[in-house]
Amino acid sequence: MIKRNISIKNIFFLILIALLIIPQTRQQIQIALHTMIAKINPSLEKEDAVAKISSYNWKLKDLEGNSVDLNQVKGKVVFVNMWATWCPPCIAEMPSIQKLYNDYKDKIEFVLVSNEKQATIKSFLEKKNYNFNTFIPQTQIPQTFNVKSIPRTFLIDKEGNIIIDESGAANWNSQMVRNTIDKLLKD
């Protein structure tokens, strides 16, 4: 009986390893795993650890080719997300970002940034039915953001304080995030 349990576990483990090695299934499995992880709420920054945006000088281009300056969002509540179409944790959190965008697009600024080609981003967004604002960087990202991995997301208040700084997939449509945004809009 013990040998049978061990062999079933071993077979399951070998199948999982094989699926992770095969390129066609690897990304889907990674996305599924990160989707489970993305159910976790992002955490608020501790009051004594809140960083402030030192510079909004960042030139971006929207998917229609229009130049945009991050200075245009200064003084507003801003949701900034760095992502890529090939990134499983980024893909895993996109549905929650879309839901948040649907409800808050007229209340806060959404700045989703990918350094991929315009056609690649457009194709991904159309395939997934996402319609949030996406931009391509034209100048170096401000040092304040200090992005070393993606996804990386910031929620910034009207004074430029980084209220949430989250690396990795998260549930951006959680009640905690919504309550935080509602509070920031009232302040």
Side-chain angles (χ1 to χ4, degrees):
M1 175 113 172
I2 293 174
K3 286 183 180 180
R4 184 173 172 206
N5 285 341
I6 291 173
S7 62
I8 291 172
K9 289 178 186 175
N10 288 343
I11 291 170
F12 176 76
F13 183 71
L14 289 173
I15 291 171
L16 181 62
I17 295 298
L19 290 172
L20 287 171
I21 292 172
I22 300 169
Q24 292 84 352
T25 58
R26 177 179 41 235
Q27 187 180 40
Q28 295 307 315
I29 291 171
Q30 289 175 328
I31 291 169
L33 291 172
H34 284 288
T35 300
M36 287 187 277
I37 293 168
K39 302 289 184 211
I40 299 169
N41 290 334
S43 54
L44 296 171
E45 295 298 298
K46 295 178 182 168
E47 285 190 37
D48 59 344
V50 171
K52 190 171 183 101
I53 301 294
S54 58
S55 172
Y56 283 85
N57 291 324
W58 192 18
K59 307 287 185 217
L60 304 164
K61 180 174 66 170
D62 69 16
L63 295 181
E64 283 71 48
N66 302 311
S67 292
V68 177
D69 188 334
L70 196 64
N71 279 306
Q72 294 171 305
V73 301
K74 194 173 186 175
K76 299 178 182 178
V77 176
V78 185
F79 180 91
V80 178
N81 176 272
M82 314 308 181
W83 69 285
T85 62
W86 51 263
C87 165
C90 301
I91 295 168
E93 72 178 1
M94 288 292 162
S96 70
I97 293 173
Q98 182 63 57
K99 288 176 184 171
L100 187 70
Y101 178 79
N102 290 345
D103 292 340
Y104 285 90
K105 64 184 170 203
D106 296 327
K107 300 173 185 171
I108 69 172
E109 297 296 324
F110 284 84
V111 181
L112 282 83
V113 181
S114 175
N115 63 0
E116 296 173 280
K117 292 182 180 177
Q118 183 177 349
T120 302
I121 298 167
K122 273 187 170 184
S123 173
F124 174 84
L125 295 175
E126 288 171 8
K127 180 180 172 188
K128 299 289 187 176
N129 259 350
Y130 296 140
N131 64 344
F132 39 71
N133 300 327
T134 305
F135 302 91
I136 300 166
Q138 300 299 294
T139 59
Q140 189 69 25
I141 185 170
Q143 188 59 32
T144 307
F145 291 113
N146 192 25
V147 176
K148 293 187 174 135
S149 66
I150 57 174
R152 182 78 179 270
T153 307
F154 304 90
L155 182 62
I156 304 164
D157 71 9
K158 295 173 185 177
E159 286 77 40
N161 298 308
I162 298 174
I163 305 303
I164 297 176
D165 177 352
E166 189 73 26
S167 293
N171 179 10
W172 295 106
N173 192 40
S174 71
Q175 196 58 50
M176 186 278 296
V177 172
R178 288 171 169 271
N179 290 344
T180 301
I181 291 172
D182 290 341
K183 182 180 180 299
L184 295 176
L185 289 170
K186 289 179 186 174
D187 291 345

